[in-house]
Amino acid sequence: MTRKPPDITRSQPRRRAATAAPAVRVPAPGEGKRGEQGYLGYLLRQAHAAVRLTMERALANLGVTSPQFAVLTMLNAYPGLSGADVARLTFLTPQTVGVIIRNLERDGAIVMTPHPVHGRIQQWTLTPRGATLLKACRERVIALEKRLAAGLDAKAEASIRRWLAGIAADLQED
């Protein structure tokens, strides 16, 4: 484990303020460190949080959460995944995926089939009801995707997609 240098961890004596400090104004997204001056990692996280909140709101009246949408999307793209595979692809914990899978199965959106070779592995696929639910979700998410890409030409969008995918691939090795 790497330790912080002593000059970073050493406690500083507390100073008492003679007068009350003026209230600090929290910058809005796009301002200060929340804007172009911010760390790339923070800006990615800020953008992710904004996208997830917008997606949650768009999917709410369908009774679907962003993680459920991610699970449905991956099972549609790669039928027969195990719960562990779904967890890896959706960046969710296996426990969270277990809850999501149980709820989606209870609602008739997915069905389990045993693995043909390894009987203990459960494979999951969408049912027709799940495919219909995913289609309704996609219509709303596509509207959000269009909003995200507004103002980008095809070349810029492809470049951003390549950059984001490259970050994930490169940092996965760490």
Side-chain angles (χ1 to χ4, degrees), residues 19-170:
T19 59
V24 176
R25 187 182 77 75
V26 175
E31 295 179 353
K33 290 292 185 184
R34 296 185 74 191
E36 294 177 17
Q37 298 171 18
Y39 291 105
L40 284 174
Y42 175 83
L43 296 175
L44 283 169
R45 184 167 171 85
Q46 176 181 244
H48 173 262
V51 168
R52 182 163 177 175
L53 179 60
T54 303
M55 188 181 299
E56 291 283 350
R57 290 175 178 161
L59 298 175
N61 69 354
L62 293 174
V64 177
T65 65
S66 291
Q68 287 173 326
F69 173 72
V71 169
L72 289 170
T73 298
M74 291 304 161
L75 289 177
N76 184 61
Y78 311 106
L81 290 174
S82 69
D85 291 333
V86 172
R88 281 188 287 278
L89 288 173
T90 57
F91 311 106
L92 298 168
T93 66
Q95 296 83 358
T96 298
V97 168
V99 171
I100 291 170
I101 283 174
R102 281 192 300 279
N103 289 338
L104 290 173
E105 182 183 32
R106 180 199 65 215
D107 294 344
I110 63 173
V111 65
M112 185 274 296
T113 56
H115 190 279
V117 177
H118 306 287
R120 290 178 36 179
I121 297 176
Q122 299 174 337
Q123 296 181 299
W124 298 96
T125 56
L126 293 182
T127 63
R129 176 177 167 80
T132 300
L133 179 60
L134 179 58
K135 184 177 184 229
C137 292
R138 276 187 175 161
E139 290 171 3
R140 293 163 190 225
V141 172
I142 286 171
L144 173 58
E145 289 273 317
K146 287 179 181 176
R147 189 173 166 194
L148 291 174
L152 297 175
D153 61 24
K155 186 176 178 180
E157 183 178 343
S159 178
I160 291 168
R161 288 177 181 275
R162 191 170 38 257
W163 179 71
L164 290 170
I167 289 171
D170 181 51

